[in-house]
Amino acid sequence: MHRFFLPDHAFQGDEIVFPVEPARQILRVLRLRIGEKVAALDNLGWEFRVELVEINPARVKGRILGKQPVSGEPPVHLHMFLCLSQREKFEWMLQKCTEAGAAEFTPVLSSRALVQDFPALENKYQRWSRIIQESAEQSGRGRIPQLNGPVKYDAAVGQATANSILCLLAWENEKTLRLADALIGQKPGAAVSLLIGPEGGLSDEEAELAVRLGWRPVSLGRGILRMETAALVAAALTVDWFEANSG
Amino acid sequence: MHRFFLPDHAFQGDEIVFPVEPARQILRVLRLRIGEKVAALDNLGWEFRVELVEINPARVKGRILGKQPVSGEPPVHLHMFLCLSQREKFEWMLQKCTEAGAAEFTPVLSSRALVQDFPALENKYQRWSRIIQESAEQSGRGRIPQLNGPVKYDAAVGQATANSILCLLAWENEKTLRLADALIGQKPGAAVSLLIGPEGGLSDEEAELAVRLGWRPVSLGRGILRMETAALVAAALTVDWFEANSG
């Protein structure tokens, strides 16, 4: 069943009035017919089963048949701090980590990041938000991961540890502590921050700063992973650990 | 340090004569200089430290300084059966699963695979082999994963279980058995086959056939993963489990 996250104003009593973009999807792309069912999500924790009752260029409307609490959310609030990289890789990480169960993204400007231009980033937010939302819809997520504004490296590592949650740094120089072992003792629903360095790796100074501020360097195995591979593998290992340890 | 898997004939006593392609890499792409060190791998389990002693369009030669057994190989022989998909996705899976530690690949033609043309595949083998080798070189692998010829689905699922090793099928309809739990009891160095279905999912008949032949359906978590995401996540979870359980 096709799934759509919809804004507050789309829910009108027992009716759904689809906003322009999902209406276009239903009419032009998916070519759904009256009587077909879709799922509407309010991003507040509810999933609605909806029967389409009106489909035309002027309006796409549905009738709510029932609702249930969302499933598909992992038992961890995983906040990914992703150093900025080339467009394609960065978008890929947003898409894949959303599938894997990340709850929040913060783009990070590290000294070796391939992208350094702060203002230029603003324009990308709409595109990135759409990628995240589509991935959340397709992968059965119950909530859209949150996308924060970009922050400089120093601020990012400081901010995360200030909230005194578990902060893990995927670092190729860490050879012994496996990511899963760093999670031992965490409770279901815990918040975990995960920092993925840029292509060229973090500089020694950057890694040292993070460690000084309380980030734990972890290993993702004996292989040397590309940045985008590391992001997905780290997210998947974290979510899997919580799935296994949430009874 | 740059790493090169080299054929048998490149190793000549205490010298290395680089074949055409790595010679071109060293001369034109990496622009290495005489005196610089590289790593040469024989794909038989040895890694050689090599000093470059001659670099010119006619010949690139090195002197062996020492050798050591390869590291970077995970404690599992992971055989990925990947249903054929669009070119980009399939190549991406080969690259990423090599990083994650897969040891062997078999392309599979399932009934819903987007690619059905057997002869056309032959031409792709050289390209796929290069992708796998480059990924193995860059990610620090000690061996190049083996690439088998394409097989039809029925033959693939029959062949794997005939070798009486653990065969796991990533299946979205399996909701309870986690991949890691299906590995319990496996010993370091074990062989595991992992089958990743195509975009549209396996047909019920295909899944039933695999199960009848001894494949165990496993879950990769509560999300619905795209094919390529499932391949990398499944490979990473498998290798991580063996890393954790190989003392």
Side-chain angles (χ1 to χ4, degrees):
Chain A
M1 185 151 43
H2 296 286
R3 308 168 82 248
F4 301 92
F5 283 100
L6 299 178
D8 199 31
H9 62 77
F11 297 85
Q12 305 184 356
D14 65 347
E15 283 189 348
I16 303 260
V17 180
F18 288 85
V20 176
E21 181 46 33
R24 194 190 64 84
Q25 280 277 322
I26 287 169
L27 179 71
R28 308 268 181 222
V29 182
L30 303 170
R31 298 180 183 208
L32 301 181
R33 305 277 177 92
I34 287 172
E36 289 197 83
K37 315 275 192 308
V38 300
L41 295 117
D42 63 4
N43 204 28
L44 297 169
W46 291 98
E47 174 163 345
F48 299 81
R49 212 155 64 85
V50 176
E51 181 183 357
L52 296 173
V53 294
E54 190 179 337
I55 304 180
N56 58 57
R59 190 158 68 167
V60 174
K61 221 169 75 172
R63 193 167 53 86
I64 292 174
L65 303 176
K67 71 172 184 176
Q68 57 181 33
V70 294
S71 57
E73 284 304 290
V76 54
H77 182 95
L78 174 59
H79 186 163
M80 305 285 297
F81 288 79
L82 301 174
C83 287
L84 281 157
S85 181
Q86 6 159 296
R87 183 179 71 80
E88 209 175 44
K89 276 185 197 227
F90 195 78
E91 293 180 353
W92 188 92
M93 289 189 285
L94 295 176
Q95 183 193 69
K96 297 300 180 222
C97 294
T98 296
E99 286 178 66
E104 191 172 351
F105 294 103
T106 298
V108 176
L109 279 163
S110 71
S111 65
R112 292 189 198 163
L114 296 176
V115 179
Q116 290 289 352
D117 186 1
F118 232 92
L121 291 172
E122 300 295 331
N123 303 325
K124 299 197 169 131
Y125 266 65
Q126 203 181 349
R127 184 175 159 85
W128 289 348
S129 298
R130 203 175 62 237
I131 288 169
I132 292 169
Q133 177 169 336
E134 283 176 2
S135 181
E137 286 170 346
Q138 286 168 21
S139 61
R141 294 289 301 272
R143 301 218 182 214
I144 306 172
Q146 181 181 322
L147 175 63
N148 301 321
V151 286
K152 296 220 173 207
Y153 182 85
D154 296 13
V157 290
Q159 165 197 328
T161 48
N163 298 327
S164 67
I165 52 178
L166 182 65
C167 293
L168 304 178
L169 165 69
W171 200 32
E172 66 273 22
N173 290 359
E174 172 60 43
K175 299 296 182 200
T176 47
L177 182 66
R178 291 173 57 246
L179 187 150
D181 289 339
L183 295 172
I184 291 171
Q186 293 293 313
K187 299 277 174 282
V192 174
S193 290
L194 200 49
L195 173 63
I196 307 294
E199 302 290 325
L202 292 170
S203 70
D204 284 350
E205 295 72 38
E206 285 174 325
E208 277 161 25
L209 174 66
V211 170
R212 205 159 58 232
L213 289 171
W215 291 74
R216 292 190 77 180
V218 292
S219 164
L220 301 178
R222 60 188 87 186
I224 299 154
L225 303 180
R226 286 161 195 256
M227 180 195 184
E228 73 275 19
T229 317
L232 173 54
V233 167
L237 291 177
T238 302
V239 170
D240 184 67
W241 188 90
F242 277 92
E243 299 267 9
N245 291 279
S246 63
Chain B
M1 185 152 37
H2 295 288
R3 307 168 84 250
F4 300 93
F5 283 99
L6 299 178
D8 198 31
H9 63 77
F11 297 86
Q12 305 184 357
D14 65 347
E15 283 189 348
I16 303 258
V17 180
F18 288 84
V20 175
E21 181 45 33
R24 193 189 65 84
Q25 279 278 322
I26 288 169
L27 180 71
R28 308 267 181 223
V29 183
L30 302 170
R31 298 179 183 207
L32 301 182
R33 306 275 177 94
I34 286 172
E36 289 198 81
K37 315 276 193 306
V38 300
L41 295 118
D42 63 3
N43 204 28
L44 297 169
W46 292 99
E47 175 164 343
F48 299 81
R49 212 157 61 88
V50 177
E51 181 182 357
L52 297 173
V53 294
E54 190 179 335
I55 304 179
N56 59 58
R59 191 159 66 169
V60 174
K61 222 169 74 174
R63 193 166 53 86
I64 292 173
L65 303 176
K67 71 172 184 176
Q68 57 181 31
V70 294
S71 57
E73 284 304 289
V76 54
H77 183 96
L78 173 59
H79 185 163
M80 305 284 298
F81 287 79
L82 300 174
C83 287
L84 281 157
S85 183
Q86 2 159 301
R87 184 179 71 79
E88 210 175 42
K89 277 186 196 226
F90 195 78
E91 294 180 351
W92 187 91
M93 288 190 284
L94 295 175
Q95 183 193 71
K96 297 300 179 220
C97 293
T98 296
E99 287 178 65
E104 192 172 349
F105 293 104
T106 297
V108 176
L109 280 163
S110 72
S111 64
R112 292 190 198 162
L114 296 176
V115 180
Q116 289 292 349
D117 187 1
F118 231 92
L121 291 171
E122 300 296 331
N123 303 325
K124 298 195 170 132
Y125 266 67
Q126 203 181 349
R127 182 174 161 88
W128 290 348
S129 299
R130 204 176 60 238
I131 288 169
I132 292 169
Q133 178 171 334
E134 283 176 3
S135 181
E137 287 171 346
Q138 286 168 20
S139 62
R141 294 288 302 272
R143 303 222 182 209
I144 306 172
Q146 182 180 323
L147 175 63
N148 301 321
V151 286
K152 296 219 174 207
Y153 182 83
D154 297 13
V157 290
Q159 165 198 325
T161 50
N163 297 329
S164 67
I165 51 179
L166 182 65
C167 292
L168 304 177
L169 165 68
W171 199 32
E172 65 273 23
N173 290 0
E174 173 60 42
K175 299 295 180 199
T176 47
L177 182 65
R178 290 172 58 246
L179 187 148
D181 289 339
L183 295 172
I184 291 170
Q186 294 293 314
K187 300 277 174 284
V192 175
S193 290
L194 201 49
L195 174 62
I196 306 295
E199 302 291 325
L202 293 170
S203 70
D204 284 350
E205 296 72 38
E206 285 174 326
E208 277 161 25
L209 175 66
V211 170
R212 207 160 58 233
L213 289 170
W215 291 73
R216 292 190 78 179
V218 293
S219 164
L220 300 178
R222 62 188 84 186
I224 298 154
L225 304 180
R226 284 161 197 257
M227 181 196 184
E228 73 275 17
T229 316
L232 173 54
V233 167
L237 291 177
T238 302
V239 169
D240 184 67
W241 188 90
F242 278 92
E243 299 267 10
N245 291 278
S246 64

